[in-house]
Amino acid sequence: MKKGLIGIQMSTIKDKINELGAYGTLKACAELGYHCVEVSQIPMTCENVAGMKKASEEFGIKIAACSAALEPMMPGMKGENLTDDFDKIVADCKELNCDMLRIGMLPMTCMGSREKALEFVKRADEMAARLKEHGIDLYYHNHHVEFIKYDGEYLLDIIKNSTKHMGFELDIHWIQRGGENPVEFIKKYDGRIRLLHLKDYRVGTVKMPEGAFDPKTFMDAFTSIIEFAEVGEGSLPIKECIEAGLAGGSEYFLIEQDDTYGRDSFESLKISRDNLIELGYGDWFEL
């Protein structure tokens, strides 16, 4: 029976790198039952790359994808990017036996402008074609900002219809926050989604401000209650999202939780794992 591989988006556990190192962090992931990761927000130092490679080989962990910006998110922002560090990024992918790169978000310099966004997309699609020559596929990860409409069409759909080399890593939480049904939206991207982010969506508690009533303070509290939940602890139809992704060509299903609200990230990943096993995906944790 066709199945995917469930893993961890490493931004969820980025703080563990300082504590345990790359090798120790992936060892702990394997001990939790995870044998797939997506590398994001982890400095790609020689030490970290070597640690991830060693752990992947020793513990049977698949490096599904690495991350790289196309160019600096803001002028002068530090960090590797494909425009300036192409050879190094490709070499890291080869070292980790990884054939996918993903762009984590729309550059801040392009947000709010259809023209700037499309200029970026054109450059990204050209980069995707260049990466294909090295056996690496490039994917774009959405947030909610791509659900702005221009002439009645979502920016994310405009991006999809303006590219032919670049694929998409859809994030079910951000689709929901963008106002769409994740299951139905995933179906629209059939054939272009090897990666899917599993991130649940939860309405939290309104933290009522103390003291005299102030309309602005209240509205800030009232409109800021959406939370990132452990998979299965929120309101999203997780099983239906997974099945839609699988039918559309998704191979890797990465758990990401931007904030665990004080809970240890490994404990959050254990909760997500247990809920997914209960949903019938126990065998999706093994290579």
Side-chain angles (χ1 to χ4, degrees):
M1 185 173 70
K2 184 181 178 184
K3 71 170 191 175
L5 188 60
I6 291 174
I8 299 170
Q9 219 280 5
M10 289 185 70
S11 64
T12 304
I13 51 173
K14 59 182 180 293
D15 292 342
K16 299 291 185 181
I17 298 291
N18 292 332
E19 177 187 343
L20 304 172
Y23 175 86
T25 299
L26 290 195
K27 180 176 184 289
C29 292
E31 290 170 349
L32 276 173
Y34 289 95
H35 294 87
C36 174
V37 296
E38 176 180 82
V39 183
S40 178
Q41 298 184 37
I42 307 300
M44 297 300 279
T45 62
C46 293
E47 181 182 11
N48 282 344
V49 172
M52 286 188 285
K53 179 181 180 181
K54 185 172 186 284
S56 69
E57 293 172 348
E58 289 189 14
F59 307 120
I61 297 174
K62 171 64 180 175
I63 310 295
C66 292
S67 303
L70 177 66
E71 52 207 24
M73 291 291 293
M74 290 287 288
M77 183 175 285
K78 295 181 179 179
E80 295 177 357
N81 64 80
L82 284 162
T83 301
D84 299 324
D85 306 288
F86 183 88
D87 291 341
K88 197 269 185 184
I89 292 169
V90 168
D92 287 342
C93 286
K94 300 289 188 182
E95 186 72 5
L96 295 172
N97 193 29
C98 171
D99 67 352
M100 280 189 278
L101 271 171
R102 34 93 64 188
I103 294 172
M105 67 186 296
L106 189 70
M108 299 171 191
T109 52
C110 299
M111 292 182 186
S113 169
R114 183 181 189 276
E115 291 71 26
K116 289 181 180 178
L118 285 180
E119 289 171 4
F120 161 78
V121 167
K122 181 177 182 294
R123 296 193 299 275
D125 206 41
E126 291 170 350
M127 184 63 73
R130 184 180 172 191
L131 285 165
K132 279 185 183 293
E133 296 175 1
H134 296 267
I136 298 170
D137 290 335
L138 183 65
Y139 288 79
Y140 177 84
H141 171 269
N142 73 281
H143 289 82
H144 56 346
V145 296
E146 292 90 356
F147 287 87
I148 185 173
K149 283 188 174 181
Y150 294 107
D151 298 324
E153 188 177 12
Y154 288 130
L155 175 60
L156 191 58
D157 289 336
I158 293 172
I159 293 172
K160 174 173 71 75
N161 296 331
S162 302
T163 54
K164 61 180 181 178
H165 302 294
M166 187 169 67
F168 292 84
E169 177 180 54
L170 296 182
D171 185 305
I172 63 176
H173 174 101
W174 290 114
I175 294 172
Q176 174 78 8
R177 198 177 286 208
E180 280 290 331
N181 179 319
V183 177
E184 297 305 316
F185 202 83
I186 288 167
K187 293 176 182 177
K188 292 172 54 179
Y189 282 65
D190 186 350
R192 299 190 69 177
I193 44 168
R194 286 180 67 193
L195 301 159
L196 192 74
H197 269 190
L198 302 181
K199 180 193 299 180
D200 219 332
Y201 178 101
R202 176 174 60 212
V203 176
T205 302
V206 177
K207 296 178 175 61
M208 289 296 294
E210 298 180 359
F213 176 78
D214 174 67
K216 183 181 185 306
T217 303
F218 167 74
M219 286 305 297
D220 287 344
F222 185 73
T223 57
S224 303
I225 58 173
I226 301 303
E227 295 182 352
F228 306 102
E230 289 80 7
V231 176
E233 298 294 309
S235 60
L236 294 184
I238 299 299
K239 188 175 183 68
E240 290 83 352
C241 288
I242 291 173
E243 295 305 317
L246 187 66
S250 296
E251 301 171 32
Y252 303 101
F253 299 77
L254 293 315
I255 296 168
E256 180 184 34
Q257 193 170 343
D258 300 50
D259 194 336
T260 60
Y261 309 99
R263 177 177 278 156
D264 185 87
S265 55
F266 283 147
E267 176 62 23
S268 287
L269 287 166
K270 180 180 181 298
I271 293 169
S272 293
R273 179 205 67 194
D274 291 348
N275 287 339
L276 285 163
I277 290 173
E278 189 173 339
L279 284 173
Y281 296 103
D283 61 334
W284 284 35
F285 287 86
E286 298 291 339
L287 288 171

